[in-house]
Every structure is written in C-alpha cells, then in structure tokens.
Amino acid sequence: MTEHETGPAPERERTQQETGGSGAGRTAARQDDGAQVSTGKEKAGAPEAVIPELVIISGMSGAGRSTAAKCLEDLGWFVVDNLPPALIPTMVELGARSQGNVARIAVVVDVRGRRFFDNLRESLADLDARGVTRRTVFLESSDDALVRRFESVRRPHPLQGDGRIVDGIAAERELLRELRGDADLVIDTSSLNVHELRAKMDAQFAGEEEPELRATVMSFGFKYGLPVDADLVVDMRFLPNPHWVPELRPYTGLNEEVASYVFNQPGAKEFLDRYAEMLRLVAAGYRREGKRYVTIAVGCTGGKHRSVAMSEKLAARLAAEGVETVVVHRDMGRE
C-alpha cells in the first residue's frame, strides 16, 4: 500500500499497549524453534534441518499487502512476493537447509498468480502434512476504499477484465473467501494509512518471543458500522447511556466517573464477569486450534461511553489471563 492508497489517518483511533496504556498485558510464549523437518536428503549422522517460521500474506488487491511485506522485510524476514503457491513447500525446504540463515520466511500470495493461485490449498495441505507451523495474515478493506485507491493510481483491478473495478473486487472477494475465513490475523485497512498499518504489523511481529494468543479489544459505535475484522461482537446498549446524563456527556468511558456510572448499572458487573469467563474458554480453544489472534469488538450507540468503559475492563481481564492485549477505541472522538 503506497502513501496515496489510503485516506487520512483517523485521529480518533486510540491504541493502548503495555507501554503505559491501560487494559494491556503481555505474556511470553514459547516458540517452536525446536521443530524439525526432514528433507529426505540428509546424510546419516548429519543434523536435521530446522523448519523456518512461515507467514503467508494475502488479501484484497489494494489493501496493503506490499506494505505488510515490506514491514516484515524490515524486521529481518526473508520475503518472497508473488510466489506461485505450488513452490511454497520448496521454499520452506530450502530455508530448512540453510543452516539457520533463513529462519523466518514471509510469502505474498495473491490473485496476480492467476491459475497458480488454484494450487494454494494443495500447497497448504502439503505444509500441514510436513508439520510446518504457518500463519496467514489477510489484508481486508471496504469496497469504497479499494475503488478510491485504484482510481487514484489509475490502474485496473487484476480481475476486472472488461468490466468495472467493482466487478474485479467482487470476483476477488469470492476467490479469497475461504482463505480469509482460515486466516490467523485479519487487518482491515479501510481507514488506515501506511504508518498505521506498519504499526499494526510491528505490534504483531516485532517481539522477540511469540505469545500464545494476542487479542485486540475494540470499542465501536453501532451507528458507524460493525468492524469488518471482528471475530466476536458484543452489544453494550442494554445498559443506560451516559450520554443522557448532562454532567457525563462531554466525557468518555476512560473517565473514572463515566466508568463508575456504567458499572454501577444493573447487569454491568455480571456481564463483565460472565463474558470474561466465556473469553477464558474461547481463548483456551483458540490456543488448542492454533489460532493466535482474536479481535473482540465491544459496541454501544456512539462508541464513546459504555463500549469504551467495558473494553478497558475486558482487556484488563484478558491481560490477567496471560493474553497479550491491545485496546483500540475506533470511534471515540467522532461525535
């Protein structure tokens, strides 16, 4: 994603991480550095090759795949752009035989490969059969944002043919539907600029140790639309709205008085306790299934009071459970 592919950065978004923000926590998790792979060509007595860490970057054309790839390259990853999917197992094998010189590989896979893209599922099955641990990052964006980006660079969509840009986008969404559903991390870049996307990638991949599970807790306002990258969505509109309390209206859920008002309402503390318990079960299941990223969207009418207060508390509970957590208040400040 180039600088002109995205709109202006939304100043309203507030991301809090462990470096001082509330509701964030970090836990160190073990890496599978000891995983082994046999290429079938090792001599007797020779040390077995170590499987490199593998990330597959895919997503919608114009959503920022190039930016994500460049970010990983800056972090020391060996990045291969537009590699035919059938060659991914070969790339992993070569990395395993590099004696540690290629320890982390990122492969960009997209519809530019045309017919080669059809081999992706077969290649992923081959990797699974070899015991290769892989992660998939999917870059998503709204149709409106993608159309603006293609029009700004005056280039056709790779799948539009003789049709319109929106026709190409629709065809690509259908082609990538299953891959998006299987992705470990989905990043919606509709309202992100280049620097914000890089910050999100850095937050996920810059650490020296991989956590077992990373969570993003995002407050939002229903009147501004659902977050497209949410895995779980909860609705705080069952609680009284502080907006209708004149002395609380100017403040947000980060304000102590607003938070106290929210959690003194019937059902608020009970919801927090029970939903946190449910998240504990979900997190355990995600770990068992190898899912490393989850986005929890907490909504209220405007995304200013109730959802913000609840997001902070939920993030704190997750952090206490050893889940590395990032808090994002998507719509705070829009009113």
Side-chain angles (χ1 to χ4, degrees):
M1 178 163 49
T2 60
E3 292 283 355
H4 53 266
E5 281 183 295
T6 56
E11 296 181 355
R12 64 184 179 276
E13 180 171 283
R14 175 175 176 271
T15 303
Q16 296 177 316
Q17 296 180 322
E18 188 186 16
T19 56
S22 62
R26 178 178 294 272
T27 179
R30 61 183 181 280
Q31 290 181 308
D32 296 325
D33 293 334
Q36 304 292 315
V37 61
S38 175
T39 65
K41 299 180 180 179
E42 297 88 348
K43 296 181 180 180
E48 291 183 328
V50 179
I51 298 179
E53 188 176 355
L54 175 64
V55 168
I56 296 174
I57 300 174
S58 190
M60 299 297 294
S61 299
R65 293 184 308 246
S66 296
T67 297
K70 289 177 182 177
C71 181
L72 290 184
E73 190 172 28
D74 291 343
L75 292 174
W77 290 67
F78 186 87
V79 178
V80 184
D81 190 13
N82 201 24
L83 182 71
L87 296 181
I88 296 177
T90 301
M91 188 71 243
V92 173
E93 181 176 311
L94 292 174
R97 294 163 56 187
S98 70
Q99 299 181 341
N101 292 322
V102 182
R104 298 185 296 177
I105 298 175
V107 177
V108 181
V109 177
D110 54 62
V111 295
R112 286 177 295 169
R114 304 286 179 167
R115 59 187 179 88
F116 295 114
F117 189 80
D118 297 335
N119 303 126
L120 180 58
R121 181 169 294 279
E122 181 180 342
S123 297
L124 296 182
D126 187 6
L127 293 171
D128 292 339
R130 297 184 186 202
V132 176
T133 299
R134 57 178 172 81
R135 290 173 289 166
T136 301
V137 177
F138 191 94
L139 282 301
E140 173 68 276
S141 192
S142 68
D143 287 3
D144 290 343
L146 293 176
V147 169
R148 287 197 303 270
R149 292 169 191 173
F150 276 104
E151 289 181 341
S152 69
V153 296
R154 298 182 179 181
R155 295 185 61 188
H157 188 280
L159 294 185
Q160 77 178 73
D162 296 330
R164 302 173 302 163
I165 293 176
V166 291
D167 298 326
I169 293 173
E172 187 176 33
R173 285 198 190 282
E174 183 60 32
L175 183 63
L176 297 177
R177 187 179 302 278
E178 291 189 16
L179 183 60
R180 186 192 188 284
D182 293 337
D184 298 285
L185 174 63
V186 177
I187 300 178
D188 178 22
T189 67
S190 301
S191 60
L192 300 182
N193 63 24
V194 173
H195 308 294
E196 289 171 326
L197 175 55
R198 290 185 66 92
K200 283 182 175 288
M201 291 296 293
D202 285 340
Q204 300 297 340
F205 294 99
E208 294 182 356
E209 296 183 317
E210 282 294 318
E212 291 186 353
L213 182 66
R214 284 187 171 116
T216 297
V217 181
M218 178 187 296
S219 69
F220 73 96
F222 277 97
K223 68 180 183 179
Y224 301 115
L226 289 170
V228 299
D229 53 348
D231 296 296
L232 301 170
V233 178
V234 293
D235 187 352
M236 294 297 101
R237 291 177 295 182
F238 71 92
L239 297 173
N241 193 346
H243 175 81
W244 303 115
V245 181
E247 58 269 26
L248 299 180
R249 182 179 300 176
Y251 302 104
T252 71
L254 298 177
N255 178 270
E256 184 176 349
E257 292 183 359
V258 173
S260 296
Y261 175 86
V262 170
F263 285 99
N264 282 330
Q265 301 304 316
K269 294 178 180 177
E270 291 82 357
F271 174 86
L272 174 62
D273 291 339
R274 295 181 185 181
Y275 195 69
E277 180 64 27
M278 190 276 288
L279 289 179
R280 186 177 298 115
L281 296 174
V282 170
Y286 280 162
R287 290 187 179 103
R288 289 193 297 269
E289 294 299 315
K291 183 175 175 66
R292 302 192 182 194
Y293 310 97
V294 60
T295 297
I296 304 161
V298 183
C300 63
T301 303
K304 180 180 179 180
H305 297 111
R306 293 163 291 181
S307 62
V308 172
M310 187 62 69
S311 293
E312 292 288 329
K313 293 291 186 180
L314 282 174
R317 294 289 184 95
L318 286 170
E321 293 293 326
V323 177
E324 183 176 335
T325 308
V326 173
V327 183
V328 176
H329 299 306
R330 191 191 74 174
D331 298 325
M332 190 172 66
R334 292 190 69 166
E335 293 184 347

